Amino acid sequence: MSSSHSAPSSSPSSSPAPSSRPSPASDAAVPHPAAQLSRPTVVSRLRAAGCVFAEDEAALLIAASRTPDGLAAMVERRAAGHPLEHVLGWAEFGGLRVSVAPGVFVPRRRTEFLLGRAVALGRRAAERTGRRTVAVDLCCGSGAVGAALAAALDAVELHASDIEPAAVRCARRNVAAVDGRVYEGDLFAPLPDHLRGRIDVLTANVPYVPTEEVGLLPPEAREFEPLVALDGGADGLDVLRRVTAAAPQWLAPGGHLLVETGERQASRAIETFRRSGLRPEVATSDELYATVVIGTLPGDPVAAPSAVYCCSTPG
């Protein structure tokens, strides 16, 4: 999981940077009568709360509201620090509008880099095998990665899991359109046994913020997203190690595990992949500030890289 949201554009797929996060304002600044909430008033209220992209956010909130009272409530939630995506009920990710409920991890724009790599590998797997790509999304949160992956592939058998009940409910809504299945439980534990040795593409957007750094996250992540989706243990790699250790039992020969991590953690992640028998590759995007470690289970000499390969792309 990423440790912060990136800057928003014309959609709520991102949230303010930590230095510009919204904070509660005094009651004196609250325009209680709903009739006063014109667009300039909404912009002013958001700007006073610290929202750098107040104009864009105001447009989104006004478009999403159904009544004046509803708009007033949304503006107050945003001004109080709730993630914009939670207030709107959706985020844009991978070309899709995905449902994001309160208490669910908000998909980050940087994770679209992992998605792009997963799509390319999924297409390659389909060409190689001549069958539907079998994809699994662990730590799926809202299910954004799995839903976008399935939408981009011609034919896919999609499964996902998360330990958070709220995330599972949200993910089930998002993957319904692609006939995906979502299971509640810890990592691989709730997955059906028939997936063992069959997974072509395994994405795992694991938490990777070191425990001692969780307190440094922006309040909208720290206060409104589940800790289990943020805290990666002492060095941020606890969950990554568990996923990597079990992945070879679930991957098909030539199958791939893709995990997002921090740049400074990449070298240790590579060694973890190697110890588990996976051939690692590191891919980075300077534009999205994203680092993805890809591990391939030996068995397909074409698909599996023989050594670490570092690359930088514009995202």
Side-chain angles (χ1 to χ4, degrees):
M1 303 289 179
S2 58
S3 59
S4 64
H5 303 256
S6 53
S9 55
S10 60
S11 75
S13 57
S14 313
S15 301
S19 61
S20 60
R21 62 180 180 268
S23 59
S26 65
D27 287 341
V30 178
H32 292 291
Q36 294 183 22
L37 288 182
S38 63
R39 179 168 179 148
T41 301
V42 174
V43 171
S44 177
R45 176 75 174 112
L46 295 177
R47 188 171 288 135
C51 299
V52 173
F53 301 95
E55 293 275 358
D56 292 337
E57 294 194 15
L60 290 165
L61 293 173
I62 291 169
S65 64
R66 297 184 178 182
T67 66
D69 287 341
L71 175 59
M74 294 173 76
V75 170
E76 289 312 302
R77 286 182 64 205
R78 182 64 183 125
H82 291 258
L84 178 62
E85 295 84 353
H86 286 174
V87 176
L88 292 170
W90 59 272
E92 187 178 279
F93 183 83
L96 301 180
R97 180 177 288 196
V98 298
S99 172
V100 181
V104 175
F105 182 82
V106 176
R108 272 50 164 180
R109 179 59 61 86
R110 66 167 57 91
T111 307
E112 291 183 344
F113 182 63
L114 180 150
L115 170 65
R117 287 305 182 112
V119 169
L121 293 171
R123 288 173 177 163
R124 186 187 305 174
E127 293 172 359
R128 187 176 73 248
T129 64
R131 57 166 171 75
R132 289 195 304 168
T133 300
V134 178
V136 170
D137 183 17
L138 295 184
C139 304
C140 69
S142 66
V145 173
L149 174 61
L153 298 176
D154 292 332
V156 62
E157 177 186 339
L158 175 66
H159 302 264
S161 76
D162 200 285
I163 199 168
E164 280 286 315
V168 170
R169 290 192 296 272
C170 190
R172 284 175 176 158
R173 292 195 295 272
N174 287 320
V175 306
V178 293
D179 296 324
R181 299 287 303 275
V182 184
Y183 310 90
E184 182 179 335
D186 186 27
L187 301 178
F188 297 95
L191 297 179
D193 283 342
H194 69 76
L195 288 174
R196 289 180 182 271
R198 294 183 56 234
I199 300 173
D200 300 304
V201 177
L202 173 60
T203 58
N205 195 15
V206 300
Y208 58 84
V209 179
T211 300
E212 65 179 11
E213 297 180 19
V214 170
L216 304 178
L217 294 176
E220 61 183 63
R222 202 173 61 237
E223 297 174 10
F224 299 104
E225 294 181 316
L227 181 62
V228 70
L230 303 170
D231 190 342
D235 64 354
L237 298 177
D238 282 2
V239 183
L240 180 146
R241 292 188 185 95
R242 294 179 57 212
V243 171
T244 306
Q249 305 169 36
W250 295 85
L251 289 172
H256 309 278
L257 166 64
L258 299 91
V259 178
E260 184 178 285
T261 188
E263 181 179 7
R264 65 182 180 177
Q265 299 163 320
S267 60
R268 282 172 290 166
I270 287 170
E271 290 307 313
T272 300
F273 274 57
R274 281 181 171 152
R275 286 195 298 269
S276 296
L278 301 174
R279 297 177 181 175
E281 170 189 353
V282 176
T284 62
S285 168
D286 294 334
E287 180 181 343
L288 295 177
Y289 304 102
T291 300
V292 175
V293 181
I294 304 169
T296 302
L297 184 68
D300 188 319
V302 175
S306 58
V308 176
Y309 171 71
C310 296
C311 61
S312 179
T313 80

